[in-house]
Each structure stands twice: as structure tokens, then as C-alpha cells.
Amino acid sequence: MRICQLDDLTDPGALRFSIGEGDWPLRAFLVQKAGSIRAYVNRCPHAGHPLDLIPGRFMTADGQAIVCSSHAALFTPLEGRCFDGPCPGQRLQGIPVEVRDGAVWLSASFDPASYQP
């Protein structure tokens, strides 16, 4: 599945997307930092709700960290590890992606059964 064109993602920056349809698609987001791209499930490991209570806002103003807009937990963009806030050391759940042909795609190794809504 193609998620977006590479040009749709700023650096640093983030972009939300969904996998699947119906009432419970897997809500996720891409992050680009220093030319590297990662994808994560849009769920705070501390509280279980979406990180972007302000829709589409995943990054701090300076683009240096992923932020949970509810409790201000900060996560490293490329590892998804919490380094400040209520869940230090916990991680965002990663989703395998790859870049090819100028676009970001779900990796062939993606197994939707391993992700809980």
C-alpha cells in the first residue's frame, strides 16, 4: 500500500494516515527527520489515546521531537522512545515502511494482525 509521495512529507515533519477501512482502521503517522522516515501507530503508550489530539500535530514546534498533545510526553523521532513526560523509556509501536519510486509504502513485512486498534 502506498502511503504518500515522498514530497508530501516535510523534513522534519509528520503526516497522519490510516490502514484499513470501516469503524476501526489502524491510525498511524509518518515522521521524517534528517532524511530518515519512520511510521508509528498513533497511540500514546501512556494513555492509549491518539498523540495528535490537535489533528495532524505530532511534532514539537522546532521539529526535534514527537509530542503527545495530551500529556506533553516527548519521543525521539527515529526510535519512538519517550525521553520526557509520564512514560520515560516506553516506545511508540513502529510500523515497517519503505521508500521506493519517490513514495512511502507499507513494507511487505507488515502484518496487520499484529497491531491492535
Side-chain angles (χ1 to χ4, degrees), residues 1 3-4 8-9 13-19 26-31 40-42 50-58:
M1 175 183 139
I3 300 170
C4 70
D8 296 336
L9 190 58
L15 181 72
R16 70 191 324 206
F17 67 97
S18 294
I19 303 167
L26 178 63
R27 291 172 175 85
F29 66 101
L30 292 171
V31 172
Y40 300 104
V41 173
N42 186 4
L51 294 167
D52 66 333
L53 292 178
I54 302 168
R57 182 170 176 234
F58 292 99

Side-chain angles (χ1 to χ4, degrees), residues 47-68:
H49 55 67
L51 294 167
D52 66 333
L53 292 178
I54 302 168
R57 182 170 176 234
F58 292 99
M59 304 293 285
T60 55
D62 63 5
Q64 297 303 305
I66 298 167
V67 62
C68 174

Side-chain angles (χ1 to χ4, degrees), residues 6 9-13 31-38 63 77-78 97-99 104:
L6 194 52
L9 190 58
T10 60
D11 188 356
V31 172
Q32 181 168 222
K33 176 84 168 125
S36 293
I37 296 176
R38 301 290 187 273
L78 300 181
V97 294
E98 54 191 55
V99 176
V104 181

Side-chain angles (χ1 to χ4, degrees), residues 67-93:
V67 62
C68 174
S69 58
S70 179
H71 296 105
L74 297 175
F75 301 86
T76 58
L78 300 181
E79 297 84 25
R81 180 185 48 79
C82 180
F83 66 89
D84 192 21
C87 53
Q90 292 186 12
R91 293 181 180 271
L92 301 172
Q93 185 177 16

